[in-house]
Amino acid sequence: KNYSFSLFTAAATLAACFILLSPRVRAFVQSPSFRPLKSILHPQKQSALECSSTHQPDGMPILPSDVVKYSQVPKAGTQFTAQTIPSGLLKQHTTKKGTWGVIRVSTGKLEYTIHEPRSSVHVLDSETVGVIEPTMLHQVKGLTDDVQFVVEFWRVPGTGVVDEKREGLDE
């Protein structure tokens, strides 16, 4: 087997993904909403086919770059705490088809477990966000008493009306 060719191909594919990503990264870093976090954006919709994975090496999904935020729980200005995490988030649950989620922790630590398509466990904090892939089972658990977080919901524009009933979540 020619391993040098395989390594070259993998390196070239990875380089192409970074090249596709760089203009979006520059635009994002220059935007007023920039917060230095681990990368969660996928370079662009088409590159999901070109890049070898839509997940980071640790199993965290990569948020498509063309999604827009349409909702957040709890509502803006409030956050879930260790004492107020809804029971629906503590057990396995999913989002609807086409609905992505972003878990943003402002203080403390939160455990985010992804059950599908493969199992992985992540510790989220103010510098590490969690990305929720549509229809995939997941759950959270507070790891520190001071944890505070929100869950944002994102969708690709033009993919239909958003009418989601979220069991166990009071908005």
Side-chain angles (χ1 to χ4, degrees):
K1 202 169 192 180
N2 186 348
Y3 290 106
S4 62
F5 179 74
S6 295
L7 270 172
F8 174 77
T9 304
T13 302
L14 186 59
C17 289
F18 282 113
I19 290 168
L20 289 169
L21 178 63
S22 62
R24 291 190 182 276
V25 169
R26 281 196 302 272
F28 178 68
V29 169
Q30 293 168 353
S31 77
S33 61
F34 173 71
R35 282 180 30 190
L37 300 171
K38 286 185 175 179
S39 173
I40 61 169
L41 293 178
H42 200 281
Q44 54 183 291
K45 195 173 182 182
Q46 293 83 3
S47 65
L49 302 174
E50 297 166 11
C51 297
S52 60
S53 175
T54 57
H55 292 80
Q56 296 181 34
D58 64 359
M60 183 71 72
I62 299 172
L63 188 69
S65 62
D66 55 350
V67 294
V68 292
K69 180 179 171 183
Y70 70 86
S71 180
Q72 170 182 310
V73 290
K75 292 186 188 285
T78 60
Q79 297 189 30
F80 293 126
T81 66
Q83 296 75 34
T84 64
I85 299 175
S87 61
L89 298 182
L90 297 170
K91 60 186 178 184
Q92 291 186 22
H93 62 282
T94 66
T95 60
K96 302 291 183 194
K97 182 178 180 181
T99 298
W100 290 80
V102 175
I103 304 168
R104 294 192 191 275
V105 175
S106 59
T107 60
K109 293 187 184 300
L110 185 74
E111 181 178 279
Y112 170 44
T113 303
I114 300 170
H115 297 284
E116 299 174 321
R118 66 176 198 250
S119 184
S120 60
V121 178
H122 307 271
V123 175
L124 308 180
D125 57 25
S126 63
E127 294 188 15
T128 307
V129 299
V131 176
I132 304 165
E133 195 171 0
T135 73
M136 297 296 148
L137 282 172
H138 61 278
Q139 68 189 84
V140 299
K141 175 174 77 173
L143 292 180
T144 59
D145 291 338
D146 64 338
V147 69
Q148 293 185 14
F149 70 99
V150 297
V151 181
E152 302 170 349
F153 296 98
W154 297 71
R155 259 184 109 76
V156 175
T159 57
V161 177
V162 176
D163 182 22
E164 295 189 35
K165 305 292 185 252
R166 296 187 193 95
E167 182 183 333
L169 293 180
D170 296 323
E171 288 191 66

